[in-house]
């Protein structure tokens, strides 16, 4: 079956065929254009994962800081979970560290939107730019100390 046709009509079949061609080093069987596109897409997916985790973390840090009377075990555990997930993701993808500043900016925009959705606070409550440094935001003892048990 034609490689580009297989890619468009049966993506799973295409992946299996390409994996087999790679395993057997059948260079002529490789769909180079689509392989390149898919590998680049995998990299973008890893970046999006980092931004997504940062969005949730930053949104909850904003809620924690700007609405202290509403703090909950759920917020505490979400902050803890996202910090751990970000650390794990960066251990598994250390090259993403080169894009930390960009990810923090992207994550902050979505984090503000999350905080707006989940609070009754107006947009003007939150800073225009991320008030947190990356290393501080992911530190267990920053703003919400997740090194210990929840004490509400």
């Amino acid at each position: 079956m034609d490689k580009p046709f297989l890619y468009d009509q049966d993506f799973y079949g295409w992946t299996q065929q390409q994996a087999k061609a790679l395993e057997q080093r059948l260079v002529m069987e490789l769909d180079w254009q689509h392989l390149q596109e898919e590998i680049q897409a995998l990299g973008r997916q890893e970046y999006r994962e980092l931004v997504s985790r940062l969005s949730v973390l930053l949104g909850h840090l904003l809620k924690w800081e700007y609405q202290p009377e509403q703090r909950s075990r759920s917020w505490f555990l979400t902050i803890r979970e996202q910090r751990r997930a970000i650390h794990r993701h960066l251990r598994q993808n250390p090259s993403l560290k080169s894009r930390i500043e960009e990810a923090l900016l992207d994550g902050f925009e979505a984090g503000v939107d999350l905080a707006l959705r989940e609070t009754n606070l107006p947009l003007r409550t939150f800073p225009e730019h991320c008030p947190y440094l990356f290393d501080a935001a992911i530190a267990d003892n920053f703003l919400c100390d997740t090194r210990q048990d929840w004490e509400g």
Side-chain angles (χ1 to χ4, degrees):
M1 188 176 278
D2 183 34
K3 289 177 290 229
F5 178 81
L6 187 60
Y7 178 85
D8 292 331
Q9 300 301 315
D10 182 3
F11 183 75
Y12 178 77
W14 176 85
T15 64
Q16 301 310 294
Q17 185 258 357
Q18 292 298 294
K20 186 175 181 179
L22 284 168
E23 178 184 12
Q24 296 176 356
R25 297 187 178 12
L26 301 173
V27 175
M28 298 304 293
E29 294 297 313
L30 295 173
D31 180 357
W32 292 100
Q33 177 187 349
H34 289 121
L35 281 171
Q36 176 191 1
E37 291 170 9
E38 291 302 322
I39 289 172
Q40 289 171 330
L42 288 171
R44 288 189 300 273
Q45 181 178 334
E46 295 304 320
Y47 176 77
R48 283 192 304 272
E49 171 76 14
L50 176 60
V51 170
S52 176
R53 297 286 184 177
L54 279 169
S55 298
V56 175
L57 173 62
L58 296 172
H60 279 76
L61 288 174
L62 289 169
K63 292 185 333 179
W64 192 268
E65 182 173 1
Y66 290 93
Q67 203 172 42
E69 69 282 359
Q70 297 293 321
R71 289 178 181 167
S72 68
R73 178 177 170 82
S74 175
W75 290 5
F76 171 85
L77 292 173
T78 296
I79 291 168
R80 177 183 165 99
E81 174 188 3
Q82 295 308 315
R83 284 175 172 162
R84 288 178 168 199
I86 290 166
H87 282 288
R88 187 172 44 253
H89 195 63
L90 290 174
R91 270 195 316 273
Q92 295 168 351
N93 299 281
S95 295
L96 279 173
K97 291 176 184 173
S98 68
R99 297 189 66 191
I100 289 295
E101 292 305 315
E102 180 184 358
L104 191 65
L105 291 174
D106 291 343
F108 181 69
E109 289 177 353
V112 169
D113 291 344
L114 181 150
L116 288 169
R117 268 192 316 278
E118 296 184 6
T119 68
N120 289 320
L121 299 172
L123 177 60
R124 67 181 175 276
T125 303
F126 302 109
E128 258 185 67
H129 304 287
C130 186
Y132 315 123
L133 296 174
F134 177 81
D135 289 336
I138 65 168
D140 292 338
N141 62 343
F142 176 74
L143 203 57
C144 171
D145 191 343
T146 54
R147 296 173 299 178
Q148 51 202 331
D149 285 332
W150 162 252
E151 294 177 19

